[in-house]
Amino acid sequence: MTSEVEVDAVVLVGGQGTRLRPLTLSAPKPMLPTAGTPYLSHLFSRIRAAGIRHVVLGTSYRAEVFEEYFGDGSAHGLEIEYVVEEEPLDTGGAIRNVYDRLRADHAIVFNGDILSGADLHAQLRTHLDSGADVTLHLQRVADPSRFGSVPTDENGRVTAFLEKTPNPPTDQINAGCYVFRRPVIETIPAGRRVSVERETFPGLLENGAHLQGFVDSSYWLDVGTPEAFVRGSADLVRGIAPTSALAGPTGDFLVLDAASVFTGAKLAGGTTIGARAVVREGATVSGSVVFDDAVIGPDAIVENSVLGRGAQVGEGAVLRGVVLGDGASVGARCELLDGVRIWPGVSVPDGGIRFSSDA
Ligand code: GTP
């Protein structure tokens, strides 16, 4: 990419990640371990593979955590700069807020919580060939009614931004990755909250700007909910989602350093077992993300769940579609189902308690 044209990368990582609470109480969403490494490492590997080196992170919530981990980016072959918003400026405001750090004529902006296999070269090529002001990655999805949709004309030009509707006229949705001509970023109002999706793009369209669609149907997942987070991590482990930042070979599970998996325990479905975590005999862990130092007792069943750092699951307990915060514990023979979330440090006592968020 850089052999043809220089481009900066901007990654928006300032959101509070409310849908992923309580996991995001201790770590911002892009720093949650996904297949053994912060989610952001996977995006950085993709940016690096596209030949881009200069990355500006727009941070707000828990801003310091990013720089502590990634530093100047050299370990990832990148040059990373950090810009902190005192008050969160929302997506458009965050893009405007990094304007002074941009060096190239074009910037490619990523939402920091999307796993995607779309071809960045092809998106940039579309942008340059069409001479667009902004080129949006539009993802074709099976059920577009869950999203706002973005129709395009026969030349691929965006014609509208439509709200969610039961019968959208197109299966193309805004996939959260945009190439901007740099001067367009300067037109976003500075110093206040601006939503790029709800204010900037519709406003540009109304004023006659050229917004081009780059339509793609490769792997794409917004990892903003617990269900999507476990699926994204499992897809990375199994090699279904693209990355070159995996902490081990792809396969049915990933066990990190110094974890203990007892004989007779079963791991499946792209599960990750964190460093020093313990899975006792007879336990089954499937499609789940187990953070460092968590302990799963004998004969427990953990499916499609996230266990926070140091969380504990008692003997024979059953967890399906559950989030345990850091240090939370679930007693022996409890049954937790369907979206139950236990806050950090909270203990559910032993003894056959059954919780379901649907109940
Ligand atoms: P939820 O609270 O669960 O909706 O998550 P979120 O706060 O991350 O919001 P959302 O998923 O809509 O955000 C999309 C992307 O924009 C994410 O990568 C966020 O980190 C980022 N983002 C959202 N709001 C801001 C903001 O005010 N400033 C910055 N810098 N980034 C933001």
Side-chain angles (χ1 to χ4, degrees):
M1 191 171 276
T2 45
S3 60
E4 301 163 45
V5 61
E6 287 294 327
V7 58
D8 298 303
V10 174
V11 186
L12 305 180
V13 293
Q16 301 223 350
T18 48
R19 289 167 297 160
L20 271 175
R21 282 184 190 155
L23 300 170
T24 43
L25 295 175
S26 56
K29 178 167 54 174
M31 293 303 290
L32 291 176
T34 323
T37 179
Y39 163 71
L40 210 46
S41 311
H42 303 290
L43 179 57
F44 285 161
S45 79
R46 194 164 157 245
I47 290 172
R48 181 71 194 85
I52 302 171
R53 285 187 176 271
H54 181 224
V55 180
V56 186
L57 247 60
T59 69
S60 174
Y61 176 65
R62 310 285 319 259
E64 68 294 347
V65 179
F66 297 95
E67 188 161 5
E68 277 163 22
Y69 189 90
F70 290 106
D72 65 3
S74 49
H76 295 259
L78 298 170
E79 181 193 345
I80 302 180
E81 289 192 69
Y82 303 85
V83 176
V84 183
E85 295 150 39
E86 294 306 326
E87 293 295 324
L89 293 171
D90 206 346
T91 45
I95 298 169
R96 177 63 179 85
N97 198 48
V98 305
Y99 177 77
D100 290 346
R101 306 296 182 95
L102 302 177
R103 302 170 184 168
D105 293 338
H106 305 271
I108 184 158
V109 178
F110 298 88
N111 277 359
D113 57 355
I114 304 288
L115 264 182
S116 167
D119 183 342
L120 297 179
H121 282 270
Q123 184 172 352
L124 189 68
R125 189 78 272 144
T126 301
H127 179 70
L128 297 174
D129 289 351
S130 65
D133 292 308
V134 185
T135 301
L136 297 88
H137 170 198
L138 303 179
Q139 181 72 16
R140 303 190 66 181
V141 295
D143 180 10
S145 65
R146 295 193 298 121
F147 307 86
S149 64
V150 186
T152 45
D153 69 12
E154 64 283 4
N155 299 316
R157 247 179 112 140
V158 172
T159 54
F161 291 92
L162 303 173
E163 299 288 330
K164 270 189 216 176
T165 131
N167 289 307
T170 170
D171 62 356
Q172 299 169 180
I173 63 152
N174 176 353
C177 175
Y178 327 105
V179 190
F180 278 83
R181 281 200 312 110
R182 184 160 65 137
V184 178
I185 295 179
E186 205 183 2
T187 68
I188 301 172
R192 69 160 170 90
R193 287 182 69 85
V194 180
S195 159
V196 77
E197 302 88 352
R198 286 187 298 280
E199 181 174 341
T200 307
F201 292 146
L204 284 168
L205 198 62
E206 208 176 296
N207 293 329
H210 179 171
L211 303 186
Q212 188 71 18
F214 168 70
V215 180
D216 194 84
S217 41
S218 50
Y219 185 93
W220 184 86
L221 186 69
D222 173 345
V223 297
T225 62
E227 305 76 48
F229 179 73
V230 289
R231 179 140 53 90
S233 183
D235 286 350
L236 285 161
V237 169
R238 291 179 296 178
I240 296 168
T243 183
S244 45
L246 206 61
T250 56
D252 219 23
F253 53 84
L254 176 64
V255 177
L256 301 181
D257 284 353
S260 311
V261 179
F262 281 54
T263 311
K266 281 195 216 97
L267 306 180
T271 285
T272 297
I273 304 295
R276 301 172 302 280
V278 177
V279 184
R280 293 285 304 273
E281 63 280 3
T284 301
V285 190
S286 166
S288 295
V289 186
V290 177
F291 288 8
D292 296 349
D293 303 302
V295 178
I296 299 175
D299 301 316
I301 297 176
V302 177
E303 279 175 14
N304 304 329
S305 296
V306 189
L307 309 192
R309 183 182 268 267
Q312 308 223 8
V313 176
E315 181 168 1
V318 176
L319 278 64
R320 293 197 169 99
V322 167
V323 177
L324 294 192
D326 294 344
S329 70
V330 173
R333 297 173 308 286
C334 288
E335 199 178 341
L336 271 52
L337 305 172
D338 310 323
V340 168
R341 301 177 192 212
I342 306 293
W343 246 237
V346 170
S347 297
V348 179
D350 285 353
I353 297 170
R354 187 171 192 276
F355 281 125
S356 163
S357 63
D358 288 351

